[in-house]
């Protein structure tokens, strides 16, 4: 910050600090990076989903304007089973503007491919506090990935639980819950 001098050049007035905006979202990949990012979609479609060992799943969702089936591979933050129904919790690293996220807001019914199995799911959007708790639990299980993900999204973290909780409160999380009796 550069000091501003008053009329008498004796008094210095420091400008008020400008509040920093929220996290900066990374730009969407283009060109070769986009092709590399889309590679897991082709791997799932070729039957190689089990190679990801549950860390990634293929989300098949409906385009909000086209109505066409869209495919996106996303990382699973947490996977659970309750009342005989599986659920997968995922995060939108590109924020609420990510196409798959916006498509689920419009049409929450989708299909996921986990390994070789397909499951009809409904999307449930989680509150910020629950997202913070999820990220705080995720970080100790996958410390390098959590640190890289946080840096990718513009956050500075020291590895502490509170830092990851703060990151999780700023990232939109979605829980994909299997429809009753819908596994194929």
């Amino acid at each position: 910050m550069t000091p501003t001098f008053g009329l008498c050049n004796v008094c210095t007035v420091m400008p008020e600090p400008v509040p920093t905006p929220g996290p900066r979202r990374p730009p969407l990949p283009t060109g070769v990076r986009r092709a590399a990012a889309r590679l897991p979609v082709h791997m799932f479609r070729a039957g190689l989903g089990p190679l990801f060992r549950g860390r990634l799943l293929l989300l098949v969702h409906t385009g909000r304007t086209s109505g066409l089936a869209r495919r996106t591979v996303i990382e699973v933050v947490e996977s659970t089973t309750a009342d005989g129904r599986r659920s997968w919790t995922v995060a939108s690293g590109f924020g609420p503007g990510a196409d798959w996220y916006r498509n689920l807001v419009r049409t929450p019914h989708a299909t996921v491919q986990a390994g070789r199995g397909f499951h009809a799911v409904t999307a449930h959007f989680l509150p910020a506090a629950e997202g913070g708790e999820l990220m705080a639990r995720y970080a100790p299980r996958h410390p390098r990935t959590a640190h890289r993900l946080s840096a990718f999204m513009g956050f500075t973290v020291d590895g502490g639980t509170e830092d990851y909780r703060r990151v999780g409160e700023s990232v939109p999380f979605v829980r994909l819950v299997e429809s009753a009796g819908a596994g194929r």
Side-chain angles (χ1 to χ4, degrees), residues 109-168:
H109 301 289
T111 302
V112 296
Q113 181 182 351
R116 287 199 177 111
F118 290 86
H119 310 271
V121 296
T122 302
H124 300 274
F125 300 88
L126 304 183
E130 192 171 348
E133 292 304 314
L134 279 164
M135 192 67 177
R137 287 195 308 264
Y138 176 82
R141 290 192 319 261
H142 306 287
R144 287 182 14 201
T145 304
H147 188 268
R148 280 193 218 129
L149 176 65
S150 298
F152 180 71
M153 293 185 299
F155 290 97
T156 303
V157 293
D158 65 4
T161 304
E162 286 308 311
D163 273 354
Y164 286 116
R165 185 172 285 115
R166 179 178 49 84
V167 170

Side-chain angles (χ1 to χ4, degrees), residues 33-52 56-59 71-75 113 115:
R33 289 183 133 174
R34 184 176 193 281
R38 299 289 300 163
L39 184 61
V41 171
H42 301 296
M43 293 176 71
F44 267 99
R45 294 183 81 182
L48 301 175
L51 293 176
F52 298 113
L56 300 178
L57 59 80
L58 177 68
L59 174 66
R71 290 170 178 77
T72 306
V73 172
I74 45 183
E75 183 179 6
Q113 181 182 351

Side-chain angles (χ1 to χ4, degrees), residues 65-77:
T65 55
S66 69
L68 299 174
R70 302 294 183 195
R71 290 170 178 77
T72 306
V73 172
I74 45 183
E75 183 179 6
V76 175
V77 175

